[in-house]
Structures are given as structure tokens and as C-alpha cells.
Amino acid sequence: MTTIPLTKRGAESLKAELHRLKTVERHAVVQAIAEARAQGDLSENAEYDAAKDKQGFIEGRILEIEGKLAAAQIIDPASLDAGGRVVFGATVDLEDEDSGKAVTYQITGDDEADIKLGRISVSSPIARALIGKEAGDVAEVQAPGGVRRYEIVEVRYE
């Protein structure tokens, strides 16, 4: 089984979701199934079918999260000392060479990526172009609209 890189925050988020699914969602769906079953004929009971579908989704998600956590390699960015290089978990301040626009990204695992929060997947084209570079370097990213060039302004390990 291959390891799945996760930041400490990402692992905590998955653990919280797993806890919620096991303690709240699982019990709520069992209650919904019991209520639907009490209504009588199950062959034409839409509420029963919907509750069983939701139960299947919840159980599948629980298994998925448990598998990811079992295979996780948890990396705490604050404990990294990569000598100023961009590595998994690093927060990178960039400047687009064409527009001069400043952007900040943290390189995270696939499950944690959320561009609105400034978190990009380690497997994304931008992250792959940044890995191993230092402040002052220029990273060329192959984007759908052509090649974009970003200057690395600062690398932090938060």
C-alpha cells in the first residue's frame, strides 16, 4: 500500500470527519431507517430507499477515510527544515511575472487541496513546478493558456 502524504491539519480534519460520521451521521441514518421501516410496506417506501442509500454512502466514506488515515504519512510543516526549498507542506509566496499579481499557496495532499483557501495539491502542475525551488527562483508552469512564469518570493514552513 502506498503512503498518502497529509499535513497535520489535513489529518486532523479527516479524523474529525470520521468521528462525526461514526457518532452522529451513522446513528441518524439508523434512526431514519427505523422510522421508514415502521411505515409499513418497504417495496414502495421512498424514505426507506433514501435512508439505505445514505447509509451506504456513510459506510463507504468511513471505510475510505479509515483507509487514508491508515496509509497516511503525516507531515507537520512547522517541523520541516528544508533549507528554504519548496517541499510538501510549505507555504509559498509567488509573483506572476506577466501580471505582477501576488499569490500564496500551501502545498498539501490531494484531499486537502482547496484553491479558494490557497491550498494546492502536491500533484498539481503548479506544485510540481515549485517543488525543490528556492526564493528567488522562477518556476515555469504549463497551464491551459500557455506557460506561466512565477517568481518565488518567500518559502515558509507554518
PDB file of all heavy atoms in Angstrom, residues 110-143:
ATOM      1  N   ASP A 110      -3.732  15.584  -1.787  1.00  0.00           N
ATOM      2  CA  ASP A 110      -4.860  15.690  -2.720  1.00  0.00           C
ATOM      3  C   ASP A 110      -6.177  15.960  -2.010  1.00  0.00           C
ATOM      4  O   ASP A 110      -7.000  16.728  -2.499  1.00  0.00           O
ATOM      5  CB  ASP A 110      -4.980  14.409  -3.547  1.00  0.00           C
ATOM      6  CG  ASP A 110      -3.792  14.212  -4.485  1.00  0.00           C
ATOM      7  OD1 ASP A 110      -3.163  15.210  -4.868  1.00  0.00           O
ATOM      8  OD2 ASP A 110      -3.505  13.051  -4.832  1.00  0.00           O
ATOM      9  N   ASP A 111      -6.404  15.338  -0.848  1.00  0.00           N
ATOM     10  CA  ASP A 111      -7.669  15.508  -0.131  1.00  0.00           C
ATOM     11  C   ASP A 111      -7.816  16.871   0.513  1.00  0.00           C
ATOM     12  O   ASP A 111      -8.922  17.308   0.808  1.00  0.00           O
ATOM     13  CB  ASP A 111      -7.808  14.440   0.964  1.00  0.00           C
ATOM     14  CG  ASP A 111      -8.002  13.058   0.378  1.00  0.00           C
ATOM     15  OD1 ASP A 111      -8.756  12.941  -0.600  1.00  0.00           O
ATOM     16  OD2 ASP A 111      -7.400  12.105   0.890  1.00  0.00           O
ATOM     17  N   GLU A 112      -6.710  17.549   0.743  1.00  0.00           N
ATOM     18  CA  GLU A 112      -6.745  18.838   1.433  1.00  0.00           C
ATOM     19  C   GLU A 112      -6.842  20.019   0.478  1.00  0.00           C
ATOM     20  O   GLU A 112      -7.137  21.129   0.896  1.00  0.00           O
ATOM     21  CB  GLU A 112      -5.462  19.015   2.251  1.00  0.00           C
ATOM     22  CG  GLU A 112      -5.191  17.933   3.238  1.00  0.00           C
ATOM     23  CD  GLU A 112      -3.809  18.071   3.813  1.00  0.00           C
ATOM     24  OE1 GLU A 112      -3.601  18.987   4.632  1.00  0.00           O
ATOM     25  OE2 GLU A 112      -2.929  17.278   3.426  1.00  0.00           O
ATOM     26  N   ALA A 113      -6.547  19.788  -0.787  1.00  0.00           N
ATOM     27  CA  ALA A 113      -6.462  20.877  -1.751  1.00  0.00           C
ATOM     28  C   ALA A 113      -7.772  21.652  -1.843  1.00  0.00           C
ATOM     29  O   ALA A 113      -8.849  21.070  -1.923  1.00  0.00           O
ATOM     30  CB  ALA A 113      -6.072  20.331  -3.123  1.00  0.00           C
ATOM     31  N   ASP A 114      -7.663  22.975  -1.789  1.00  0.00           N
ATOM     32  CA  ASP A 114      -8.801  23.875  -1.925  1.00  0.00           C
ATOM     33  C   ASP A 114      -8.243  25.221  -2.385  1.00  0.00           C
ATOM     34  O   ASP A 114      -7.702  25.983  -1.588  1.00  0.00           O
ATOM     35  CB  ASP A 114      -9.550  24.012  -0.605  1.00  0.00           C
ATOM     36  CG  ASP A 114     -10.822  24.835  -0.733  1.00  0.00           C
ATOM     37  OD1 ASP A 114     -10.989  25.546  -1.755  1.00  0.00           O
ATOM     38  OD2 ASP A 114     -11.645  24.786   0.188  1.00  0.00           O
ATOM     39  N   ILE A 115      -8.365  25.484  -3.657  1.00  0.00           N
ATOM     40  CA  ILE A 115      -7.748  26.679  -4.232  1.00  0.00           C
ATOM     41  C   ILE A 115      -8.288  27.956  -3.597  1.00  0.00           C
ATOM     42  O   ILE A 115      -7.564  28.941  -3.454  1.00  0.00           O
ATOM     43  CB  ILE A 115      -7.902  26.695  -5.778  1.00  0.00           C
ATOM     44  CG1 ILE A 115      -6.966  27.717  -6.415  1.00  0.00           C
ATOM     45  CG2 ILE A 115      -9.332  26.944  -6.173  1.00  0.00           C
ATOM     46  CD1 ILE A 115      -5.521  27.365  -6.360  1.00  0.00           C
ATOM     47  N   LYS A 116      -9.546  27.933  -3.142  1.00  0.00           N
ATOM     48  CA  LYS A 116     -10.126  29.123  -2.502  1.00  0.00           C
ATOM     49  C   LYS A 116      -9.425  29.449  -1.184  1.00  0.00           C
ATOM     50  O   LYS A 116      -9.407  30.592  -0.763  1.00  0.00           O
ATOM     51  CB  LYS A 116     -11.620  28.920  -2.262  1.00  0.00           C
ATOM     52  CG  LYS A 116     -12.421  28.855  -3.540  1.00  0.00           C
ATOM     53  CD  LYS A 116     -13.867  28.556  -3.270  1.00  0.00           C
ATOM     54  CE  LYS A 116     -14.599  28.365  -4.584  1.00  0.00           C
ATOM     55  NZ  LYS A 116     -15.824  27.609  -4.428  1.00  0.00           N
ATOM     56  N   LEU A 117      -8.880  28.415  -0.542  1.00  0.00           N
ATOM     57  CA  LEU A 117      -8.152  28.612   0.711  1.00  0.00           C
ATOM     58  C   LEU A 117      -6.639  28.699   0.483  1.00  0.00           C
ATOM     59  O   LEU A 117      -5.873  28.741   1.443  1.00  0.00           O
ATOM     60  CB  LEU A 117      -8.469  27.471   1.687  1.00  0.00           C
ATOM     61  CG  LEU A 117      -9.925  27.350   2.120  1.00  0.00           C
ATOM     62  CD1 LEU A 117     -10.123  26.113   2.983  1.00  0.00           C
ATOM     63  CD2 LEU A 117     -10.369  28.595   2.867  1.00  0.00           C
ATOM     64  N   GLY A 118      -6.224  28.690  -0.772  1.00  0.00           N
ATOM     65  CA  GLY A 118      -4.804  28.795  -1.081  1.00  0.00           C
ATOM     66  C   GLY A 118      -4.042  27.494  -0.882  1.00  0.00           C
ATOM     67  O   GLY A 118      -2.827  27.508  -0.706  1.00  0.00           O
ATOM     68  N   ARG A 119      -4.743  26.371  -0.913  1.00  0.00           N
ATOM     69  CA  ARG A 119      -4.090  25.068  -0.750  1.00  0.00           C
ATOM     70  C   ARG A 119      -4.133  24.333  -2.076  1.00  0.00           C
ATOM     71  O   ARG A 119      -5.201  24.100  -2.632  1.00  0.00           O
ATOM     72  CB  ARG A 119      -4.809  24.231   0.313  1.00  0.00           C
ATOM     73  CG  ARG A 119      -4.770  24.872   1.669  1.00  0.00           C
ATOM     74  CD  ARG A 119      -5.434  23.976   2.708  1.00  0.00           C
ATOM     75  NE  ARG A 119      -5.699  24.757   3.901  1.00  0.00           N
ATOM     76  CZ  ARG A 119      -6.820  24.690   4.594  1.00  0.00           C
ATOM     77  NH1 ARG A 119      -7.777  23.868   4.235  1.00  0.00           N
ATOM     78  NH2 ARG A 119      -6.976  25.433   5.658  1.00  0.00           N
ATOM     79  N   ILE A 120      -2.948  23.952  -2.572  1.00  0.00           N
ATOM     80  CA  ILE A 120      -2.889  23.233  -3.844  1.00  0.00           C
ATOM     81  C   ILE A 120      -2.319  21.839  -3.618  1.00  0.00           C
ATOM     82  O   ILE A 120      -1.499  21.627  -2.733  1.00  0.00           O
ATOM     83  CB  ILE A 120      -2.050  24.002  -4.902  1.00  0.00           C
ATOM     84  CG1 ILE A 120      -0.631  24.258  -4.414  1.00  0.00           C
ATOM     85  CG2 ILE A 120      -2.748  25.298  -5.287  1.00  0.00           C
ATOM     86  CD1 ILE A 120       0.306  24.831  -5.455  1.00  0.00           C
ATOM     87  N   SER A 121      -2.779  20.912  -4.435  1.00  0.00           N
ATOM     88  CA  SER A 121      -2.342  19.527  -4.330  1.00  0.00           C
ATOM     89  C   SER A 121      -0.889  19.390  -4.770  1.00  0.00           C
ATOM     90  O   SER A 121      -0.446  20.037  -5.717  1.00  0.00           O
ATOM     91  CB  SER A 121      -3.223  18.644  -5.212  1.00  0.00           C
ATOM     92  OG  SER A 121      -2.648  17.371  -5.368  1.00  0.00           O
ATOM     93  N   VAL A 122      -0.176  18.518  -4.080  1.00  0.00           N
ATOM     94  CA  VAL A 122       1.222  18.240  -4.415  1.00  0.00           C
ATOM     95  C   VAL A 122       1.334  17.685  -5.834  1.00  0.00           C
ATOM     96  O   VAL A 122       2.382  17.814  -6.469  1.00  0.00           O
ATOM     97  CB  VAL A 122       1.858  17.291  -3.372  1.00  0.00           C
ATOM     98  CG1 VAL A 122       1.259  15.898  -3.469  1.00  0.00           C
ATOM     99  CG2 VAL A 122       3.358  17.240  -3.501  1.00  0.00           C
ATOM    100  N   SER A 123       0.246  17.129  -6.361  1.00  0.00           N
ATOM    101  CA  SER A 123       0.279  16.572  -7.715  1.00  0.00           C
ATOM    102  C   SER A 123      -0.179  17.567  -8.782  1.00  0.00           C
ATOM    103  O   SER A 123      -0.209  17.235  -9.967  1.00  0.00           O
ATOM    104  CB  SER A 123      -0.562  15.300  -7.780  1.00  0.00           C
ATOM    105  OG  SER A 123      -1.892  15.570  -7.418  1.00  0.00           O
ATOM    106  N   SER A 124      -0.514  18.794  -8.386  1.00  0.00           N
ATOM    107  CA  SER A 124      -0.951  19.799  -9.354  1.00  0.00           C
ATOM    108  C   SER A 124       0.247  20.313 -10.162  1.00  0.00           C
ATOM    109  O   SER A 124       1.393  20.253  -9.705  1.00  0.00           O
ATOM    110  CB  SER A 124      -1.621  20.972  -8.634  1.00  0.00           C
ATOM    111  OG  SER A 124      -0.652  21.721  -7.906  1.00  0.00           O
ATOM    112  N   PRO A 125      -0.003  20.827 -11.364  1.00  0.00           N
ATOM    113  CA  PRO A 125       1.102  21.351 -12.183  1.00  0.00           C
ATOM    114  C   PRO A 125       1.898  22.466 -11.501  1.00  0.00           C
ATOM    115  O   PRO A 125       3.123  22.506 -11.611  1.00  0.00           O
ATOM    116  CB  PRO A 125       0.404  21.876 -13.440  1.00  0.00           C
ATOM    117  CG  PRO A 125      -0.876  21.100 -13.515  1.00  0.00           C
ATOM    118  CD  PRO A 125      -1.274  20.837 -12.094  1.00  0.00           C
ATOM    119  N   ILE A 126       1.212  23.335 -10.762  1.00  0.00           N
ATOM    120  CA  ILE A 126       1.921  24.432 -10.086  1.00  0.00           C
ATOM    121  C   ILE A 126       2.851  23.869  -9.017  1.00  0.00           C
ATOM    122  O   ILE A 126       4.026  24.233  -8.941  1.00  0.00           O
ATOM    123  CB  ILE A 126       0.930  25.444  -9.461  1.00  0.00           C
ATOM    124  CG1 ILE A 126       0.135  26.147 -10.550  1.00  0.00           C
ATOM    125  CG2 ILE A 126       1.663  26.469  -8.603  1.00  0.00           C
ATOM    126  CD1 ILE A 126      -0.960  27.056 -10.034  1.00  0.00           C
ATOM    127  N   ALA A 127       2.331  22.967  -8.180  1.00  0.00           N
ATOM    128  CA  ALA A 127       3.152  22.393  -7.107  1.00  0.00           C
ATOM    129  C   ALA A 127       4.339  21.623  -7.679  1.00  0.00           C
ATOM    130  O   ALA A 127       5.458  21.729  -7.175  1.00  0.00           O
ATOM    131  CB  ALA A 127       2.309  21.485  -6.218  1.00  0.00           C
ATOM    132  N   ARG A 128       4.103  20.844  -8.728  1.00  0.00           N
ATOM    133  CA  ARG A 128       5.203  20.079  -9.327  1.00  0.00           C
ATOM    134  C   ARG A 128       6.295  21.000  -9.854  1.00  0.00           C
ATOM    135  O   ARG A 128       7.476  20.687  -9.781  1.00  0.00           O
ATOM    136  CB  ARG A 128       4.673  19.175 -10.445  1.00  0.00           C
ATOM    137  CG  ARG A 128       3.874  17.998  -9.896  1.00  0.00           C
ATOM    138  CD  ARG A 128       3.610  16.966 -10.961  1.00  0.00           C
ATOM    139  NE  ARG A 128       3.159  17.565 -12.204  1.00  0.00           N
ATOM    140  CZ  ARG A 128       2.007  17.311 -12.798  1.00  0.00           C
ATOM    141  NH1 ARG A 128       1.186  16.431 -12.289  1.00  0.00           N
ATOM    142  NH2 ARG A 128       1.675  17.900 -13.917  1.00  0.00           N
ATOM    143  N   ALA A 129       5.894  22.175 -10.379  1.00  0.00           N
ATOM    144  CA  ALA A 129       6.887  23.129 -10.879  1.00  0.00           C
ATOM    145  C   ALA A 129       7.641  23.809  -9.740  1.00  0.00           C
ATOM    146  O   ALA A 129       8.791  24.223  -9.909  1.00  0.00           O
ATOM    147  CB  ALA A 129       6.202  24.179 -11.752  1.00  0.00           C
ATOM    148  N   LEU A 130       7.011  23.925  -8.571  1.00  0.00           N
ATOM    149  CA  LEU A 130       7.622  24.631  -7.435  1.00  0.00           C
ATOM    150  C   LEU A 130       8.541  23.755  -6.590  1.00  0.00           C
ATOM    151  O   LEU A 130       9.518  24.249  -6.022  1.00  0.00           O
ATOM    152  CB  LEU A 130       6.537  25.207  -6.531  1.00  0.00           C
ATOM    153  CG  LEU A 130       5.669  26.327  -7.108  1.00  0.00           C
ATOM    154  CD1 LEU A 130       4.534  26.654  -6.154  1.00  0.00           C
ATOM    155  CD2 LEU A 130       6.503  27.548  -7.415  1.00  0.00           C
ATOM    156  N   ILE A 131       8.231  22.456  -6.472  1.00  0.00           N
ATOM    157  CA  ILE A 131       8.975  21.557  -5.588  1.00  0.00           C
ATOM    158  C   ILE A 131      10.477  21.618  -5.898  1.00  0.00           C
ATOM    159  O   ILE A 131      10.901  21.499  -7.037  1.00  0.00           O
ATOM    160  CB  ILE A 131       8.469  20.098  -5.722  1.00  0.00           C
ATOM    161  CG1 ILE A 131       7.026  19.982  -5.260  1.00  0.00           C
ATOM    162  CG2 ILE A 131       9.369  19.124  -4.985  1.00  0.00           C
ATOM    163  CD1 ILE A 131       6.793  20.074  -3.780  1.00  0.00           C
ATOM    164  N   GLY A 132      11.257  21.821  -4.842  1.00  0.00           N
ATOM    165  CA  GLY A 132      12.714  21.845  -4.965  1.00  0.00           C
ATOM    166  C   GLY A 132      13.317  23.208  -5.246  1.00  0.00           C
ATOM    167  O   GLY A 132      14.524  23.380  -5.150  1.00  0.00           O
ATOM    168  N   LYS A 133      12.486  24.176  -5.581  1.00  0.00           N
ATOM    169  CA  LYS A 133      12.998  25.517  -5.877  1.00  0.00           C
ATOM    170  C   LYS A 133      13.096  26.335  -4.586  1.00  0.00           C
ATOM    171  O   LYS A 133      12.573  25.963  -3.562  1.00  0.00           O
ATOM    172  CB  LYS A 133      12.101  26.196  -6.893  1.00  0.00           C
ATOM    173  CG  LYS A 133      12.072  25.467  -8.241  1.00  0.00           C
ATOM    174  CD  LYS A 133      11.737  26.385  -9.351  1.00  0.00           C
ATOM    175  CE  LYS A 133      11.862  25.836 -10.737  1.00  0.00           C
ATOM    176  NZ  LYS A 133      12.060  24.469 -10.978  1.00  0.00           N
ATOM    177  N   GLU A 134      13.793  27.471  -4.668  1.00  0.00           N
ATOM    178  CA  GLU A 134      14.009  28.347  -3.512  1.00  0.00           C
ATOM    179  C   GLU A 134      13.527  29.754  -3.831  1.00  0.00           C
ATOM    180  O   GLU A 134      13.255  30.076  -4.994  1.00  0.00           O
ATOM    181  CB  GLU A 134      15.503  28.408  -3.179  1.00  0.00           C
ATOM    182  CG  GLU A 134      16.140  27.090  -2.863  1.00  0.00           C
ATOM    183  CD  GLU A 134      17.651  27.199  -2.667  1.00  0.00           C
ATOM    184  OE1 GLU A 134      18.258  28.162  -3.185  1.00  0.00           O
ATOM    185  OE2 GLU A 134      18.203  26.324  -2.001  1.00  0.00           O
ATOM    186  N   ALA A 135      13.498  30.609  -2.804  1.00  0.00           N
ATOM    187  CA  ALA A 135      13.138  32.014  -3.006  1.00  0.00           C
ATOM    188  C   ALA A 135      14.115  32.621  -4.016  1.00  0.00           C
ATOM    189  O   ALA A 135      15.317  32.378  -3.965  1.00  0.00           O
ATOM    190  CB  ALA A 135      13.187  32.767  -1.695  1.00  0.00           C
ATOM    191  N   GLY A 136      13.557  33.389  -4.947  1.00  0.00           N
ATOM    192  CA  GLY A 136      14.372  33.999  -5.995  1.00  0.00           C
ATOM    193  C   GLY A 136      14.350  33.211  -7.295  1.00  0.00           C
ATOM    194  O   GLY A 136      14.627  33.759  -8.362  1.00  0.00           O
ATOM    195  N   ASP A 137      14.013  31.923  -7.223  1.00  0.00           N
ATOM    196  CA  ASP A 137      13.918  31.103  -8.432  1.00  0.00           C
ATOM    197  C   ASP A 137      12.639  31.433  -9.185  1.00  0.00           C
ATOM    198  O   ASP A 137      11.689  31.981  -8.634  1.00  0.00           O
ATOM    199  CB  ASP A 137      13.905  29.606  -8.088  1.00  0.00           C
ATOM    200  CG  ASP A 137      15.241  29.104  -7.560  1.00  0.00           C
ATOM    201  OD1 ASP A 137      16.238  29.841  -7.656  1.00  0.00           O
ATOM    202  OD2 ASP A 137      15.270  27.973  -7.052  1.00  0.00           O
ATOM    203  N   VAL A 138      12.620  31.065 -10.464  1.00  0.00           N
ATOM    204  CA  VAL A 138      11.441  31.237 -11.293  1.00  0.00           C
ATOM    205  C   VAL A 138      10.935  29.851 -11.684  1.00  0.00           C
ATOM    206  O   VAL A 138      11.709  29.018 -12.150  1.00  0.00           O
ATOM    207  CB  VAL A 138      11.752  32.075 -12.554  1.00  0.00           C
ATOM    208  CG1 VAL A 138      10.547  32.116 -13.486  1.00  0.00           C
ATOM    209  CG2 VAL A 138      12.170  33.486 -12.160  1.00  0.00           C
ATOM    210  N   ALA A 139       9.646  29.638 -11.475  1.00  0.00           N
ATOM    211  CA  ALA A 139       9.025  28.361 -11.836  1.00  0.00           C
ATOM    212  C   ALA A 139       8.157  28.567 -13.067  1.00  0.00           C
ATOM    213  O   ALA A 139       7.371  29.509 -13.129  1.00  0.00           O
ATOM    214  CB  ALA A 139       8.176  27.839 -10.679  1.00  0.00           C
ATOM    215  N   GLU A 140       8.327  27.691 -14.040  1.00  0.00           N
ATOM    216  CA  GLU A 140       7.504  27.740 -15.240  1.00  0.00           C
ATOM    217  C   GLU A 140       6.431  26.669 -15.124  1.00  0.00           C
ATOM    218  O   GLU A 140       6.735  25.499 -14.906  1.00  0.00           O
ATOM    219  CB  GLU A 140       8.349  27.517 -16.487  1.00  0.00           C
ATOM    220  CG  GLU A 140       9.311  28.650 -16.759  1.00  0.00           C
ATOM    221  CD  GLU A 140      10.026  28.518 -18.097  1.00  0.00           C
ATOM    222  OE1 GLU A 140       9.781  27.518 -18.808  1.00  0.00           O
ATOM    223  OE2 GLU A 140      10.803  29.408 -18.416  1.00  0.00           O
ATOM    224  N   VAL A 141       5.174  27.103 -15.261  1.00  0.00           N
ATOM    225  CA  VAL A 141       4.039  26.210 -15.106  1.00  0.00           C
ATOM    226  C   VAL A 141       3.307  26.103 -16.442  1.00  0.00           C
ATOM    227  O   VAL A 141       2.921  27.123 -17.016  1.00  0.00           O
ATOM    228  CB  VAL A 141       3.059  26.730 -14.023  1.00  0.00           C
ATOM    229  CG1 VAL A 141       1.867  25.810 -13.881  1.00  0.00           C
ATOM    230  CG2 VAL A 141       3.779  26.914 -12.710  1.00  0.00           C
ATOM    231  N   GLN A 142       3.142  24.869 -16.900  1.00  0.00           N
ATOM    232  CA  GLN A 142       2.387  24.648 -18.134  1.00  0.00           C
ATOM    233  C   GLN A 142       0.905  24.711 -17.791  1.00  0.00           C
ATOM    234  O   GLN A 142       0.388  23.852 -17.091  1.00  0.00           O
ATOM    235  CB  GLN A 142       2.734  23.283 -18.738  1.00  0.00           C
ATOM    236  CG  GLN A 142       2.051  23.007 -20.062  1.00  0.00           C
ATOM    237  CD  GLN A 142       2.497  23.959 -21.165  1.00  0.00           C
ATOM    238  OE1 GLN A 142       3.681  24.230 -21.320  1.00  0.00           O
ATOM    239  NE2 GLN A 142       1.547  24.472 -21.917  1.00  0.00           N
ATOM    240  N   ALA A 143       0.227  25.759 -18.239  1.00  0.00           N
ATOM    241  CA  ALA A 143      -1.198  25.959 -17.977  1.00  0.00           C
ATOM    242  C   ALA A 143      -1.962  25.829 -19.294  1.00  0.00           C
ATOM    243  O   ALA A 143      -1.360  25.903 -20.365  1.00  0.00           O
ATOM    244  CB  ALA A 143      -1.420  27.337 -17.361  1.00  0.00           C
TER     245      ALA A 143
END
